[in-house]
Amino acid sequence: MTPIIIPIFLPHLGCRQHCLFCNQRATVKEVPSPQLVQELIETSLSHVPSQPGEREKQVAFYGGSFTAMDRETQVSYLKEARPFLSAGRIDSVRLSTRPDALNETTLPMLKEYGVKTVEVGAQSMVDEVLLLSRRGHRAKDTVSAVLRLKRRGVEVGVHLMIGLPGDTCDDFLRSLDQIIELRPDFVRIHPALVLKGAPLEVLWRSGKYSPLPLNQAVEWLKRGIPKLEKGGIRIARIGIQPTAELEAHFLAGPYHPAFHQLVDSAIFYDMAEHMLRNDPNGSQPVLVCYSKDLSSLRGQRNKNLLKLRERFGFQDIRIETNEGVRKGSLFLKTSSGIFCMDRQELAVEGPPLVTGHPRESLVNSEKFLSRLMAQDKFYQSSSSPDVNRGPEKACLQE
Ligand code: SF4
């Protein structure tokens, strides 16, 4: 269960230089002093539901490079959270920082002050991209930071960006592979935007930097997200949280308030497209998904359905929801039979796996599976070498 975050923003505190893409003042204007921290926590706690259930409450120091500040300043902020920890009013502390500011002497101090989670600003695992973005660290610093935090039992999040100067889709996918190998607890991915006041604004205005178009950003993530999911890495956020300050500073780049949903819709389009392509003789298609995936499957203003109808020449493609289908999986019923696949299959090299037998990992209940199997014959396309013929259980959900 995700924790309730009580954010304290410390814009640019601890920053050693100005990264090209960054203007933290676009999200928060004032830097709160340590003396204000307790008041901010009290105010946030007054808005937390009195019965938060099992959810953990975490004070989060965001917005700068926390561990790059001098030790005294770090302690002056951390100690303000202590009374809340001791009284059990919050459960732990999290902070964000640079990968090259996490040394062996810092970590025991963080643990002593209740820091449970550290979010590491990796941004890319390609040194050239880091250099062009004026990050001032290398990919190997991220490797050391994540491993060091994990060794100390600290929960680790990694921030990545797409579309930085010099970045390519292949670089991004390679960065993801390296991050997956490091096995952080979660990942956040932000698109690089041109913000008023960030150094990137100058490059953009002089025509030396072009941000990633929105459709390409979606394309990159459509390829990357299934990799993370297959690798079992939790995705804490895709895209940037829309705020009034951000919108006031936004100049150019792949910003969309429903960015995550655009990516999910593109993933569902690809799944439907692969399955329909695997069944060239089928007619009367019906796509079946979990209810919470319905809007992603349809796409904004039914865009996915319209595209699929045009692509395959169907008059109509019906959509059904069924709680028996596991979230992220998709079934296709046609005159030929039933096919299914999971979005993680898009992470494989080459054609993704489409099965003619409903796999148990893609459905929520045995009952749903047995009803399907009793009612329909299953079709295996002999022309598709990537079709798995085994009666797998991979499509079911208990
Ligand atoms: S990205 Fe992080 S390190 Fe770079 S300027 Fe912004 S807050 Fe500082």
Side-chain angles (χ1 to χ4, degrees):
M1 203 177 289
T2 52
I4 295 170
I5 298 289
I6 297 163
I8 313 278
F9 286 99
L10 308 173
H12 290 300
L13 282 200
C15 297
R16 290 172 186 165
Q17 76 286 309
H18 207 149
C19 305
L20 215 54
F21 52 85
C22 183
N23 181 6
Q24 292 279 339
R25 300 282 154 85
T27 37
V28 182
K29 296 220 167 350
E30 303 300 325
V31 182
S33 65
Q35 293 70 35
L36 258 184
V37 166
Q38 292 206 6
E39 195 183 317
L40 292 170
I41 298 175
E42 283 291 2
T43 310
S44 294
L45 281 174
S46 68
H47 295 113
V48 170
S50 52
Q51 301 284 332
E54 297 298 301
R55 285 181 74 186
E56 180 184 1
K57 287 188 251 79
Q58 267 193 326
V59 164
F61 293 102
Y62 281 153
S65 301
F66 194 91
T67 56
M69 297 190 288
D70 61 64
R71 194 184 170 95
E72 226 170 69
T73 313
Q74 291 181 56
V75 170
S76 67
Y77 279 102
L78 289 170
K79 76 175 172 33
E80 297 301 322
R82 253 197 171 158
F84 296 89
L85 282 168
S86 313
R89 297 181 67 203
I90 62 165
D91 300 292
S92 56
V93 174
R94 77 164 59 195
L95 50 90
S96 61
T97 196
R98 304 169 50 87
D100 56 350
L102 281 159
N103 56 38
E104 285 296 344
T105 53
T106 311
L107 297 183
M109 185 269 288
L110 297 183
K111 289 217 101 174
E112 195 190 318
Y113 281 94
V115 175
K116 179 188 167 196
T117 312
V118 172
E119 303 197 20
V120 179
Q123 318 310 359
S124 171
M125 294 301 278
V126 177
D127 281 342
E128 196 193 337
V129 173
L130 294 172
L131 187 71
L132 288 171
S133 306
R134 296 190 204 149
R135 280 292 292 168
H137 68 83
R138 290 172 168 256
K140 69 177 171 49
D141 297 311
T142 297
V143 175
S144 320
V146 173
L147 295 179
R148 199 168 276 160
L149 288 163
K150 282 171 66 89
R151 265 200 307 274
R152 292 265 176 184
V154 178
E155 185 179 54
V156 191
V158 168
H159 292 200
L160 288 169
M161 293 186 78
I162 56 169
L164 288 170
D167 202 10
T168 65
C169 185
D170 284 346
D171 284 343
F172 166 61
L173 296 175
R174 270 197 297 274
S175 291
L176 276 186
D177 287 338
Q178 289 180 55
I179 294 298
I180 291 167
E181 263 182 47
L182 292 173
R183 309 226 46 84
D185 296 279
F186 63 92
V187 162
R188 294 183 196 270
I189 307 179
H190 300 155
L193 304 179
V194 182
L195 299 175
K196 272 183 209 157
L200 205 53
E201 180 187 354
V202 180
L203 290 186
W204 172 69
R205 288 200 186 280
S206 62
K208 291 184 181 146
Y209 171 75
S210 301
L212 212 51
L214 182 63
N215 63 343
Q216 275 191 42
V218 170
E219 185 70 29
W220 289 25
L221 286 170
K222 177 185 87 174
R223 295 177 62 190
I225 296 308
K227 268 178 181 281
L228 286 168
E229 290 172 347
K230 201 172 177 82
I233 311 289
R234 183 162 68 82
I235 299 159
R237 172 167 278 280
I238 301 175
I240 296 181
Q241 177 133 26
T243 61
E245 284 89 355
L246 177 71
E247 286 181 10
H249 285 78
F250 172 71
L251 290 171
Y255 171 67
H256 192 288
F259 190 68
H260 197 150
Q261 212 208 345
L262 292 184
V263 176
D264 275 344
S265 292
I267 289 173
F268 269 96
Y269 175 83
D270 275 11
M271 287 162 71
E273 201 264 352
H274 280 300
M275 285 198 286
L276 286 163
R277 200 149 30 92
N278 255 289
D279 179 26
N281 303 318
S283 59
Q284 299 166 300
V286 183
L287 293 166
V288 190
C289 68
Y290 182 64
S291 56
K292 287 195 175 147
D293 286 332
L294 179 62
S295 53
S296 297
L297 175 58
R298 285 187 177 282
Q300 291 201 318
R301 292 190 290 277
N302 283 331
K303 199 169 149 203
N304 281 355
L305 285 187
L306 297 171
K307 253 168 78 184
L308 287 167
R309 268 175 23 196
E310 192 181 329
R311 160 89 172 76
F312 293 98
F314 289 119
Q315 284 274 321
D316 193 22
I317 297 179
R318 270 178 47 216
I319 287 194
E320 289 175 5
T321 60
N322 195 307
E323 300 313 295
V325 178
R326 182 165 281 183
K327 189 161 169 33
S329 298
L330 187 62
F331 281 71
L332 167 68
K333 295 195 280 188
T334 70
S335 55
S336 315
I338 295 176
F339 305 86
C340 60
M341 72 180 285
D342 186 83
R343 52 194 272 154
Q344 291 182 14
E345 296 301 338
L346 296 175
V348 299
E349 298 294 329
L353 177 75
V354 176
T355 59
H357 284 280
R359 288 173 288 153
E360 285 182 11
S361 70
L362 302 194
V363 306
N364 282 325
S365 68
E366 291 279 353
K367 208 163 133 202
F368 173 65
L369 180 70
S370 45
R371 207 169 58 233
L372 277 178
M373 295 185 84
Q375 286 173 357
D376 298 279
K377 69 190 173 87
F378 295 103
Y379 171 79
Q380 299 281 299
S381 164
S382 56
S383 62
S384 299
D386 57 307
V387 165
N388 183 316
R389 289 164 185 274
E392 295 176 59
K393 292 194 163 190
C395 307
L396 287 165
Q397 189 167 298
E398 293 309 317

